[in-house]
Amino acid sequence: MTAKALPKRSEVDPQLTWDLTTIFANQADFQAELAAVKTLAQQLKKDSSA
């Protein structure tokens, strides 16, 4: 059985993708929130092992 690779977002018909601008205005906002979530996840991991 051969695994099929997922297409890049730019290769998918826009009608079949989510409109992420309703969540994040731009890539920088997404990256900032991702960094914050990673920090929170590390804190949660640290707190749960204490």
Side-chain angles (χ1 to χ4, degrees):
M1 186 166 143
T2 304
K4 186 175 178 183
L6 291 175
K8 294 180 181 178
R9 184 177 173 88
S10 61
E11 298 170 342
V12 177
D13 183 342
Q15 291 182 328
L16 301 175
T17 62
W18 291 348
D19 179 9
L20 300 179
T21 60
T22 61
I23 303 170
F24 299 103
N26 54 49
Q27 186 70 19
D29 289 350
F30 169 77
Q31 291 297 331
E33 190 65 23
L34 179 60
V37 168
K38 286 181 178 182
T39 299
L40 290 171
Q42 287 297 323
Q43 186 63 45
L44 180 60
K45 182 178 178 182
K46 178 181 165 188
D47 291 348
S48 67
S49 65

